[in-house]
């Protein structure tokens, strides 16, 4: 995995901006600490790369340039292909000449020989830019599920792009400004974001499954893949067999690495499945899998059972690690470190987000990186297999709006009156919701339940899942750790989009289909354990710590946060008994307080101006 950036334009000589490119490249160092490279000898395009070496460490230097039939092509690439072997064979037959074992060269030759059609052959996570020297054309693309980021901004000089917003902001032509739309995103939708929007006024992001072409005619974007509705003809047994194959194949493909690799292990269903498939493959090779687990100091004392988290993870982690025979590593986080990491986590994200949900992941990834360079994680199963309560509770499922964001009025009440008057919060959120469900492909005459399940799956993939993928990518890459997400294999999403709800909810059990399909990989205690979300600290010391941080901000008249939100509402948040979910059960009162701490830090760190 890596970090990429670059600039293209036709109004001047891009080579004169080399110093700007170097600043942008340096801002990506944590994403790629092992090596760096620059392409800076073209008048209309310069690009840079930072590398985290995973495959072919000796020969994988970027940027890479190849020549074919009189045209030169140069690529900067961030990602991993999981079907490299098959693609390499196909491209060799078409005339490709490979000099490395890296998938970077496979992507480059794929584009050279097939152009954008090659994207539909790729199974992987990626974001890349390719410059055509003679054609004077920049091609940018992002993977189907949106695992790897790619931000851009149109400027007076042309187009600037990067893996990271922090890097983009090193270019003086990208203003540190937001506007009413950006403010609406921050207050009404964050930590989620409207697909394609980058919070800063001129910053955008390629959407998942989108490519762009930039040349003298400007920027043109195209969605190259969508989930399509098809009749599901497999019976239940066949469906379970197919799911088992797809999950096993996704995990096995993603174990390829020339550097140490391990897995996240929470003791829940999803990470346990991935760890079990990985461990069985490692045993065949005479190797022991490293597994990594997270807990919080004193959670055994303060944990309280809830509808969303009926049991603590600790017991199940131990059961699973013993079952696997893995080399088990545990990270135990305490309040002081958790609170201190809020600002670094904000910097890693480039925005205020989920408080300790982010900072704990950042610290966890830092710890994992001491042992391995690559890790597999269980994200995205719930979105695709329908594991969340809003899939399974019919009342919630059929209700309009984002099920995890039902607090629009509460959120908007924090805005200063003069700003709140400029925003129709309900319409802003509802229009974002409607724009997504209207894109859900359906079959004529299908049941109301299956029709709504398709809408819900698309909502989850485009919103909730993108937020979790943002978090995992930024926190891991800020720690120079590559994290892969097998459940995000597009083949799984394509298949499950058409599986009827009665199969997914087999035996009226959350992710019943996945559980049945993966029998034999887990002990029953884990296989039938009720869903448990990402663990949070229950220690009251954390609430006190973030409250102290926010009080310090409210006591400072120069705080930029107070130019946006009401001090009176912040005090009510700190002192009142009201506890409204800011972002589903992931963000309750402590995380909401931490969000405002991060928002103040974001405004200060980037000296953000509000342009109305």
């Amino acid at each position: 995995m890596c970090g990429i950036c670059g600039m293209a334009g036709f109004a001047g000589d891009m080579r004169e901006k080399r110093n700007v490119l170097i600043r942008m490249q340096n801002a990506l160092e944590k994403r790629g600490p092992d090596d760096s490279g620059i392409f800076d000898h073209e008048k209309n395009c310069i690009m840079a790369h930072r590398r985290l070496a995973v495959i072919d460490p000796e020969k994988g230097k970027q940027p890479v340039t190849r020549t074919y039939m009189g045209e030169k092509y140069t690529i900067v690439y961030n990602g991993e292909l999981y079907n490299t072997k098959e693609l390499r064979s196909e491209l060799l037959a078409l005339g490709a000449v490979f000099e490395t074992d890296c998938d970077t060269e496979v992507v480059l030759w794929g584009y050279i020989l097939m152009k954008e059609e090659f994207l539909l052959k790729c199974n992987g996570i990626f974001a890349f830019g390719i410059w055509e020297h003679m054609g004077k054309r920049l091609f940018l693309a992002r993977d189907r599920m949106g695992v790897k980021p790619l931000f851009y901004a149109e400027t007076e000089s042309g187009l600037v792009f990067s893996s990271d917003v922090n890097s983009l902001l090193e270019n003086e032509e990208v203003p540190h400004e937001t506007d009413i739309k950006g403010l609406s995103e921050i207050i009404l939708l964050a930590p989620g974001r409207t697909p394609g929007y980058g919070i800063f006024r001129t910053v955008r992001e390629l959407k998942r499954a989108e490519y762009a072409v930039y040349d003298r005619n400007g920027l043109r974007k195209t969605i190259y893949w969508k989930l399509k509705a098809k009749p599901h003809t497999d019976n239940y047994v066949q469906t379970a067999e197919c799911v088992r194959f797809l999950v096993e194949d996704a995990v096995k493909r993603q174990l390829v690495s020339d550097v140490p690799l391990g897995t996240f292990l929470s003791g829940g269903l999803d990470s346990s499945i991935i760890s079990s498939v990985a461990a069985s493959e490692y045993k065949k090779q005479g190797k022991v899998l490293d597994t990594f687990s997270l807990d919080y100091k004193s959670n055994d004392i303060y944990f309280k059972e809830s509808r969303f988290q009926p049991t603590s993870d600790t017991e199940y982690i131990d059961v699973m690690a013993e079952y696997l025979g893995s080399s088990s590593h545990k990270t135990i986080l305490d309040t002081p470190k958790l609170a201190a990491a809020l600002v670094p986590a904000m910097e890693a994200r480039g925005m205020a987000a989920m408080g300790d949900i982010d900072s704990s992941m950042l610290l966890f990834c830092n710890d994992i990186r001491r042992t391995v360079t690559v890790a597999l994680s269980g994200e995205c199963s719930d979105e695709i297999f329908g594991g969340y309560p809003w899939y399974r509770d019919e009342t919630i499922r059929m209700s309009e709006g984002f099920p995890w964001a039902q607090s629009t009025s509460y959120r908007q009440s924090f805005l200063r009156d003069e700003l709140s008057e400029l925003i129709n919060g309900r319409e802003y959120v509802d229009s974002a919701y409607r724009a997504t469900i209207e894109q859900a492909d359906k079959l004529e005459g299908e049941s109301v339940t299956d029709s709504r399940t398709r809408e819900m799956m698309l909502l989850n993939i485009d919103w909730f899942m993108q937020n979790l993928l943002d978090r995992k990518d930024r926190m891991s890459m800020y720690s120079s750790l590559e994290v892969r997400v097998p459940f995000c294999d597009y083949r799984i999403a394509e298949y499950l989009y058409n599986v009827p709800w009665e199969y997914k909810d087999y035996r009226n059990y959350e992710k019943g289909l996945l559980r049945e399909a993966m029998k034999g990989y887990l002990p029953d205690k884990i296989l039938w354990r009720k869903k448990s979300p990402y663990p949070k600290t229950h220690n009251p010391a954390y609430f006190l710590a973030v409250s102290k941080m926010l009080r310090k901000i409210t006591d400072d008249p120069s705080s930029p946060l107070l130019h946006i939100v009401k001090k009176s509402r912040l005090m009510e948040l700190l002192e009142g008994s009201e506890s409204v979910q800011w972002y589903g059960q992931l963000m309750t009162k402590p995380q909401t307080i931490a969000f405002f701490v991060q928002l103040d830090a974001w405004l200060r760190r980037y000296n953000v101006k509000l342009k109305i």
Side-chain angles (χ1 to χ4, degrees), residues 36-310:
S36 63
I38 286 181
F39 166 74
D40 63 351
H41 50 272
E42 277 277 310
K43 178 181 179 181
N44 300 119
C45 181
I46 56 177
M47 301 188 294
H49 182 263
R50 293 287 324 194
R51 187 182 187 214
L52 177 65
V54 172
I55 302 293
D56 198 356
E58 296 299 319
K59 298 179 182 178
K61 189 175 179 64
Q62 293 190 47
V64 175
T65 299
R66 296 291 180 263
T67 301
Y68 183 75
M69 297 186 69
E71 173 64 287
K72 272 188 178 182
Y73 304 83
T74 297
I75 186 172
V76 286
Y77 170 78
N78 166 31
E80 294 288 347
L81 287 186
Y82 304 128
N83 60 337
T84 298
K85 184 177 179 180
E86 298 97 315
L87 292 175
R88 180 184 291 270
S89 297
E90 184 175 350
L91 293 169
L92 281 169
L94 293 175
V97 180
F98 292 101
E99 299 176 23
T100 74
D101 293 325
C102 290
D103 53 351
T104 303
E105 198 178 9
V106 172
V107 172
L108 181 55
W109 274 109
Y111 180 77
I112 290 171
L113 296 170
M114 302 180 190
K115 295 300 186 284
E116 60 270 16
E117 294 300 317
F118 179 69
L119 294 170
L120 292 174
K121 293 180 175 289
C122 294
N123 179 355
I125 55 178
F126 55 80
F128 63 85
I130 294 176
W131 176 249
E132 298 180 29
H133 295 225
M134 300 296 291
K136 305 299 180 188
R137 179 174 117 138
L138 177 67
F139 182 83
L140 302 172
R142 195 169 174 221
D143 67 77
R144 300 184 219 216
M145 300 299 285
V147 179
K148 290 287 111 181
L150 189 58
F151 294 92
Y152 68 92
E154 294 185 80
T155 69
E156 289 186 7
S157 298
L159 186 80
V160 55
F161 68 90
S162 182
S163 299
D164 193 288
V165 172
N166 294 316
S167 170
L168 274 188
L169 294 173
E170 290 294 327
N171 189 312
E172 63 275 1
E173 292 189 81
V174 181
H176 295 213
E177 298 173 350
T178 193
D179 52 17
I180 288 300
K181 179 174 173 60
L183 188 61
S184 299
E185 295 279 317
I186 293 165
I187 297 298
L188 302 177
L189 293 173
R193 286 186 290 119
T194 297
Y197 194 69
I199 306 299
F200 288 92
R201 185 172 61 84
T202 64
V203 174
R204 298 293 181 267
E205 183 178 26
L206 275 193
K207 296 177 184 177
R208 64 177 187 84
E210 188 171 50
Y211 71 79
V213 174
Y214 179 74
D215 57 20
R216 292 185 184 276
N217 296 317
L219 181 70
R220 301 175 300 284
K221 297 181 292 182
T222 302
I223 299 294
Y224 65 86
W225 175 83
K226 293 180 179 179
L227 290 168
K228 293 291 186 181
K230 301 175 184 177
H232 186 74
T233 58
D234 291 348
N235 62 31
Y236 177 76
V237 173
Q238 292 168 330
T239 300
E241 289 174 349
C242 186
V243 166
R244 186 180 181 93
F245 167 78
L246 288 171
V247 172
E248 286 177 334
D249 190 62
V251 175
K252 291 173 184 178
R253 286 178 181 272
Q254 297 186 30
L255 292 175
V256 177
S257 174
D258 291 334
V259 294
L261 177 149
T263 64
F264 286 65
L265 180 62
S266 70
L269 178 69
D270 307 325
S271 66
S272 295
I273 287 173
I274 290 171
S275 296
S276 188
V277 176
S280 66
E281 288 299 298
Y282 268 39
K283 285 176 183 175
K284 294 175 186 176
Q285 303 168 31
K287 298 192 297 185
V288 175
L289 180 71
D290 286 289
T291 57
F292 300 88
S293 307
L294 174 67
D295 201 358
Y296 299 87
K297 186 177 180 180
S298 301
N299 252 17
D300 57 333
I301 299 173
Y302 297 110
F303 175 81
K304 292 181 180 179
E305 178 182 332
S306 70
R307 175 190 173 192
F308 299 106
Q309 191 165 10

Side-chain angles (χ1 to χ4, degrees), residues 259-423:
V259 294
L261 177 149
T263 64
F264 286 65
L265 180 62
S266 70
L269 178 69
D270 307 325
S271 66
S272 295
I273 287 173
I274 290 171
S275 296
S276 188
V277 176
S280 66
E281 288 299 298
Y282 268 39
K283 285 176 183 175
K284 294 175 186 176
Q285 303 168 31
K287 298 192 297 185
V288 175
L289 180 71
D290 286 289
T291 57
F292 300 88
S293 307
L294 174 67
D295 201 358
Y296 299 87
K297 186 177 180 180
S298 301
N299 252 17
D300 57 333
I301 299 173
Y302 297 110
F303 175 81
K304 292 181 180 179
E305 178 182 332
S306 70
R307 175 190 173 192
F308 299 106
Q309 191 165 10
T311 54
S312 179
D313 287 334
T314 306
E315 174 189 354
Y316 298 90
I317 291 169
D318 294 340
V319 168
M320 198 62 206
E322 183 177 351
Y323 178 82
L324 297 175
S326 65
S327 177
S328 178
H329 308 262
K330 287 186 180 179
T331 294
I332 310 295
L333 298 180
D334 199 4
T335 289
K337 280 190 174 182
L338 202 57
L342 286 173
V343 173
M346 177 280 296
E347 291 178 344
R349 271 255 198 169
M351 63 179 284
M354 290 197 287
D356 62 278
I357 305 298
D358 282 358
S359 65
S360 61
M361 180 60 71
L362 180 63
L363 294 170
F364 188 28
C365 288
N366 273 327
D367 230 13
I368 294 171
R369 183 60 175 87
R370 301 174 195 274
T371 306
V372 300
T373 306
V374 180
L376 273 59
S377 179
E379 266 86 359
C380 310
S381 170
D382 287 298
E383 289 83 356
I384 292 171
F385 285 90
Y388 292 125
W390 49 73
Y391 277 102
R392 306 190 65 253
D393 184 311
E394 185 176 2
T395 301
I396 300 175
R397 184 173 68 234
M398 300 307 296
S399 297
E400 294 294 310
F402 297 114
W404 54 84
Q406 297 288 312
S407 55
T408 301
S409 298
Y410 173 74
R411 283 172 170 248
Q412 189 163 353
S413 71
F414 283 87
L415 278 174
R416 291 174 63 95
D417 291 340
E418 64 271 24
L419 296 175
S420 184
E421 289 171 359
L422 301 175
I423 298 172

